[in-house]
Amino acid sequence: MMRMGVAYDTGDYYHSIAWLEEAVGLFRLSYGSWNPEDRSSLEDALDHLAFSYFMAGNISHALSLSREFLHYDPSNRRVVRNVAKYEKLLETGTVTSVEPLRRPNSTRLQNRDAYEELCQRPGGQALEHLPQLGCSYETNGSPYLLLQPAKKEMVQIRPYVALYHDFISDAEAETIKGLAGPWLQRSVVASGEKQQKADYRISKSAWLKDTAHPVVQTLEKRMAAITGLDLRPPYAEYLQVVNYGLGGHYEPHFDHATSRKSPLYRMKSGNRIATLMIYLSAVGAGGSTAFVHANLSVPVLKNAALFWWNLRRNGDGDGDTLHAGCPVLAGDKWVANKWIHEHGQEFRRPCGIDPQD
Ligand SMILES: O=C(O)CCC(=O)C(=O)O
Ligand SMILES: [Fe+2]
């Protein structure tokens, strides 16, 4: 209900009605096989749906839903009063026409159509739908990878996106989630010079230092070997573990700073040159990682890691990396982010011959 909750709270009745209709429909279907908690959920959904319809100008729907509510909870005085109010409004014909609800225009979400299409793409859960550019075993000249090379799948050349299969083991993923669990807090985003909660990022997250557990240390080494980059502080941020519940999402954004004032620069090691994101869990449905400009949707693949460069070789932000974590539709989703900064990588990823690269 989280997505609906945000829509309802922000007065977006176009979306709250769609979600609540679905919820009320499901609760009615399971009528009879209920436990008492389900009943209060049905009442709650009916109550919010009635109010959404009222606000949208559809008084007769608001009235019939409120009557249905009273069937379960006849003594609710507020709803009794609402029923009387709606009846009166209908009798006196105060409300004449119902305007069709429009999908709200979000100023932040200029790419809403592309984003929603990518998130809803059929087969978004199946790897076969990736472009299939080629797979390779990589050792990167690292002794660490000689015995167990990385299984790399190129996903996109521009922007550069690669998927490393079996990057982490089930046991390691469980350890990481367990370590982060007690520290999870509502995620924030950079807003001007500060960090803030935002409706466009709904998840919980926690930071893990490599001193937290030997497994984190092992992972740090593996991440450094596979990327060939220097991840020692302050060249990379701590590991950020993220948990999305039902409806959790991260709308299209850049990982790199787009303003000189961004709090990202507080580490004094430059901008975020690259992202390595590990999928610590599978997901029931939804939750793909969508690259909105690149028309690419990467399904959640448990234990894999996704790598992309956020900056061009010349240090400019790469606008093609605009990406999102699609809403989770069933189950929950865990990822771990490693954000790698520019400093320390000067000789590992030098500028190209063409200054535009
Ligand atoms: O969850 C995802 O798939 C993407 C997450 C992301 O982009 C981020 O945390 O910056
Ligand atoms: Fe991101």
Side-chain angles (χ1 to χ4, degrees), residues 16-262:
S16 72
I17 285 174
W19 277 86
L20 286 160
E21 279 287 7
E22 191 68 27
V24 164
L26 288 171
F27 282 126
R28 285 188 190 129
L29 267 182
S30 61
Y31 186 86
S33 54
W34 282 356
N35 57 50
E37 269 172 37
D38 284 348
R39 202 188 113 172
S40 58
S41 304
L42 171 65
E43 287 166 21
D44 197 40
L46 284 170
D47 193 17
H48 285 84
L49 184 56
F51 184 74
S52 297
Y53 271 122
F54 169 69
M55 290 304 283
N58 193 333
I59 309 299
S60 55
H61 268 57
L63 176 60
S64 62
L65 289 160
S66 300
R67 284 187 178 140
E68 188 178 343
F69 178 103
L70 289 181
H71 174 77
Y72 299 107
D73 183 3
S75 60
N76 187 307
R77 311 255 304 259
R78 179 176 51 80
V79 178
V80 169
R81 277 198 306 273
N82 282 346
V83 164
K85 176 167 96 182
Y86 299 154
E87 282 171 347
K88 195 158 177 206
L89 281 171
L90 286 171
E91 251 168 50
T92 56
T94 319
V95 193
T96 42
S97 71
V98 179
E99 291 238 342
L101 271 177
R102 292 226 203 102
R103 191 167 76 166
N105 247 341
S106 154
T107 45
R108 224 199 68 79
L109 244 182
Q110 293 146 358
N111 304 290
R112 185 161 206 150
D113 289 338
Y115 168 52
E116 290 188 356
E117 191 273 316
L118 282 168
C119 289
Q120 291 167 10
R121 196 167 271 192
Q125 292 308 301
L127 276 180
E128 303 86 73
H129 292 265
L130 288 179
Q132 302 203 320
L133 295 179
C135 297
S136 55
Y137 284 113
E138 300 272 321
T139 54
N140 257 351
S142 151
Y144 190 87
L145 294 176
L146 270 181
L147 287 176
Q148 199 179 39
K151 299 182 199 164
K152 174 176 167 184
E153 175 174 358
M154 270 311 291
V155 175
Q156 185 101 10
I157 312 258
R158 260 166 195 260
Y160 180 102
V161 182
L163 187 67
Y164 292 97
H165 291 253
D166 303 318
F167 178 84
I168 190 174
S169 70
D170 283 336
E172 286 168 333
E174 287 315 304
T175 303
I176 298 292
K177 288 189 275 186
L179 287 169
W183 303 101
L184 289 175
Q185 284 193 348
R186 173 69 194 268
S187 303
V188 293
V189 297
S191 157
E193 295 174 44
K194 288 201 288 259
Q195 313 248 42
Q196 268 183 346
K197 293 179 199 159
D199 286 349
Y200 62 85
R201 186 183 192 194
I202 308 274
S203 62
K204 288 185 161 191
S205 49
W207 298 94
L208 287 186
K209 291 190 191 180
D210 65 346
T211 48
H213 194 276
V215 164
V216 188
Q217 243 162 11
T218 308
L219 269 189
E220 296 278 338
K221 286 210 189 97
R222 197 176 304 149
M223 292 189 282
I226 280 182
T227 58
L229 299 174
D230 193 341
L231 306 187
R232 292 171 302 173
Y235 301 143
E237 294 169 47
Y238 298 134
L239 192 66
Q240 186 189 54
V241 181
V242 188
N243 176 221
Y244 300 90
L246 200 60
H249 62 272
Y250 195 168
E251 287 177 7
H253 66 278
F254 294 115
D255 284 356
H256 60 271
T258 49
S259 139
R260 273 279 136 200
K261 288 187 179 154
S262 165

Side-chain angles (χ1 to χ4, degrees), residues 201 244 250-251 253-255 272 275 277 289 308 310 321 323-325 337 339:
R201 186 183 192 194
Y244 300 90
Y250 195 168
E251 287 177 7
H253 66 278
F254 294 115
D255 284 356
R272 284 176 175 165
T275 301
M277 188 186 75
T289 307
W308 66 93
N310 294 303
T321 63
H323 64 279
N337 287 309
W339 283 304

